[in-house]
Amino acid sequence: MKDLFDKIYKDKGPLGKWAEQAEGYFVFPKLEGPISNRMKFRGKEVITWSINDYLGLANHPEVRKIDAEAAAEYGSAYPMGARMMSGHTDLHEKLQDELASFVHKQSAYLLNFGYQGMVSTIDALVSKQDVIVYDVDAHACIIDGVRLHLGQRFTYKHNDMESIEKNLKRAEKIAEQTGGGILLISEGVFGMRGEQGKLKEIVELKKKYNFRLFVDDAHGFGTLGKTGAGAGEEQGVQDEIDVYFATFAKSLASTGAFIAGDKEIIDYLKYNLRSQMFAKSLQMQLVVGALKRLEMLRTMPELKDKLWENVNALQNGLKAKGFDIGTTQSCVTPVYLKGSIPEAMALVKDLRENHGVFCSIVVYPVIPKGLILLRMIPTATHTLQDVEETLEAFSAIRERLENGTYKRLSASVEAAMSNK
């Protein structure tokens, strides 16, 4: 019999094998200073494109004031206990009501964390007789929630309507045999590519197939739609989303999440979500802070306007310079380049050290081998000067990538990895 840890000693995983070269710089980097468009990395100021603070609320003086006052009044423990036992308050209810109203739903329920909440919501919505159909590019929290499902599940090709319909037909046959139902899961905005889920087209399929639609709108909430209610509002189908999910970790610049839908559905979920039934309530300082942030989303449309001014300037500037930004339909701005992982490391080091630009790097296995994805998140705190400096930096690194400079610089890293 093998030692359980044998596999750990032999195989660190597709990302873990790079730890010696990458940790502390390319992964687990340490940004310092107030959250803003410019922060410190290893003592140097950098333009920061990797913070999901879309509306610039993280370090907004009004938000900081409310957060501090709430912490002083309630501390970091209140209320103690799970919501069903002793951790429920009027302010939790108030936040739920205001969130429901904001996303145009009858009811909402608070979740402690986005990842945990998504996993638990999927688990509560389906039984082993039911079938799940979901996008192959779904976020890890959706994939992990689906893994808990004891029944059948099918992935469809990313945003591919033909594949969606094909899998709905498969699901329908199985559900007819088991006596179950069908849950279709999409994202409002896919966080790597920036594409919106094809919610309008998916909703049209409800005329032919009997399924319920669950949408993870983490990146759409607060950034898309006339009022900021997300991708469903943007596409005119918010009413047809049966269960709507969003996190506080993006536009609200905080911790927590929520689900929203018809009252009867949300009432069922709040009595069956294991992650909430058996976990401590969301702390009061976070609840109070979220109420303030939501008020600002409602009353300060200029935040979203400034965000989109920066988004358009960055994306249009990249396209004008011939960069491939895919088919993004959101604030998420991917830049696709061709190169190896060692080349990507050399490129990003140059970008940070010599150009003062910090953005996230994504490589295999998240994306196919041979591709480098530089993922950028514009915010309302960025300036047009930030955009201009970044465009100049990207032009410089592309030239070095294409002329082989990074390949030469990365040769030692590549050699070290091939010997492992």
Side-chain angles (χ1 to χ4, degrees):
M1 184 174 68
K2 289 184 178 179
D3 183 331
L4 176 68
F5 290 169
D6 279 351
K7 59 182 178 289
I8 296 174
Y9 300 135
K10 293 177 181 177
D11 184 3
K12 302 297 183 184
L15 294 177
K17 70 179 183 180
W18 295 97
E20 186 177 331
Q21 290 79 18
E23 190 162 329
Y25 195 95
F26 303 103
V27 295
F28 302 101
K30 300 171 185 175
L31 285 167
E32 300 173 345
I35 296 171
S36 190
N37 59 315
R38 293 183 184 239
M39 298 175 68
K40 291 284 185 69
F41 179 64
R42 294 197 164 191
K44 295 181 180 179
E45 184 181 83
V46 289
I47 304 171
T48 312
W49 296 103
S50 62
I51 303 294
N52 290 325
D53 181 24
Y54 284 122
L55 300 176
L57 298 182
N59 203 41
H60 194 286
E62 291 185 44
V63 166
R64 290 285 296 264
K65 180 175 182 291
I66 289 294
D67 285 352
E69 290 173 353
E73 182 174 356
Y74 297 104
S76 61
Y78 186 83
M80 286 299 294
R83 294 277 294 283
M84 294 182 80
M85 300 293 111
S86 56
H88 188 64
T89 72
D90 288 340
L91 288 179
H92 285 75
E93 288 186 350
K94 181 180 183 192
L95 178 55
Q96 288 173 170
D97 290 344
E98 293 193 10
L99 285 166
S101 175
F102 187 80
V103 297
H104 315 303
K105 293 295 181 185
Q106 287 183 1
S107 185
Y109 191 64
L110 284 179
L111 308 171
N112 290 357
F113 297 100
Y115 200 111
Q116 172 203 58
M118 173 58 72
V119 169
S120 193
T121 301
I122 294 172
D123 179 51
L125 283 171
V126 293
S127 62
K128 65 180 180 181
Q129 291 81 20
D130 302 320
V131 185
I132 299 176
V133 178
Y134 66 107
D135 196 294
V136 70
D137 278 3
H139 189 271
C141 64
I142 295 173
I143 293 170
D144 285 355
V146 171
R147 282 176 176 171
L148 291 178
H149 181 43
L150 298 176
Q152 293 274 10
R153 68 261 193 160
F154 302 114
T155 57
Y156 58 83
K157 294 176 184 176
H158 175 62
N159 262 351
D160 186 311
M161 295 311 300
E162 184 179 339
S163 180
I164 292 174
E165 189 158 8
K166 177 183 175 182
N167 281 284
L168 281 173
K169 287 177 180 176
R170 296 169 69 190
E172 199 172 54
K173 288 180 181 178
I174 292 170
E176 285 172 356
Q177 294 171 0
T178 62
I182 302 171
L183 178 67
L184 194 151
I185 308 174
S186 178
E187 296 190 39
V189 173
F190 289 85
M192 285 295 156
R193 300 173 186 248
E195 295 170 342
Q196 291 182 40
K198 293 191 174 180
L199 306 183
K200 187 174 183 179
E201 292 90 338
I202 290 171
V203 162
E204 275 295 305
L205 291 177
K206 284 188 170 187
K207 296 174 182 177
K208 295 175 64 175
Y209 304 96
N210 184 16
F211 65 90
R212 294 294 185 172
L213 177 59
F214 182 20
V215 173
D216 173 356
D217 204 26
H219 290 273
F221 174 72
T223 68
L224 293 175
K226 183 178 180 181
T227 69
E233 183 182 51
E234 179 82 8
Q235 298 181 36
V237 293
Q238 187 76 351
D239 290 347
E240 295 293 331
I241 296 173
D242 297 296
V243 181
Y244 178 91
F245 167 95
T247 173
F248 297 168
K250 312 294 193 258
S251 287
L252 291 191
S254 186
T255 300
F258 71 98
I259 46 174
D262 289 349
K263 185 177 186 304
E264 192 166 355
I265 305 305
I266 299 304
D267 282 348
Y268 169 83
L269 287 171
K270 77 179 183 181
Y271 279 93
N272 290 278
L273 280 169
R274 294 173 65 82
S275 68
Q276 303 307 123
M277 294 167 65
F278 301 104
K280 184 183 178 299
S281 175
L282 193 67
Q283 300 100 309
M284 187 67 87
Q285 72 206 60
L286 296 175
V287 174
V288 173
L291 280 165
K292 177 61 179 178
R293 290 160 168 82
L294 189 60
E295 175 195 322
M296 294 172 74
L297 261 66
R298 286 197 309 265
T299 62
M300 298 173 68
E302 63 270 21
L303 296 173
K304 186 157 75 75
D305 292 344
K306 177 57 179 170
L307 165 65
W308 277 98
E309 178 187 345
N310 291 333
V311 171
N312 291 328
L314 179 64
Q315 293 184 357
N316 291 337
L318 286 165
K319 286 189 286 187
K321 288 183 176 293
F323 285 95
D324 178 6
I325 65 169
T327 53
T328 181
Q329 303 158 306
S330 68
C331 304
V332 179
T333 305
V335 177
Y336 296 96
L337 300 166
K338 292 181 180 179
S340 65
I341 293 178
E343 284 178 293
M345 289 178 173
L347 178 153
V348 168
K349 189 169 185 179
D350 187 18
L351 196 60
R352 293 176 183 177
E353 299 297 328
N354 299 317
H355 297 280
V357 174
F358 187 104
C359 62
S360 298
I361 173 177
V362 183
V363 293
Y364 177 82
V366 180
I367 59 174
K369 286 184 177 179
L371 279 181
I372 302 168
L373 168 58
L374 299 176
R375 178 174 176 266
M376 306 174 73
I377 303 292
T379 74
T381 63
H382 282 104
T383 67
L384 296 181
Q385 179 64 33
D386 295 334
V387 172
E388 189 57 40
E389 288 182 29
T390 300
L391 293 174
E392 291 175 8
F394 269 58
S395 294
I397 63 164
R398 179 175 57 186
E399 181 179 346
R400 293 189 186 110
L401 180 65
E402 292 176 349
N403 68 23
T405 298
Y406 297 137
K407 191 170 185 62
R408 292 191 293 274
L409 289 172
S410 66
S412 60
V413 175
E414 210 148 11
M417 289 310 301
S418 63
N419 292 329
K420 289 194 174 184

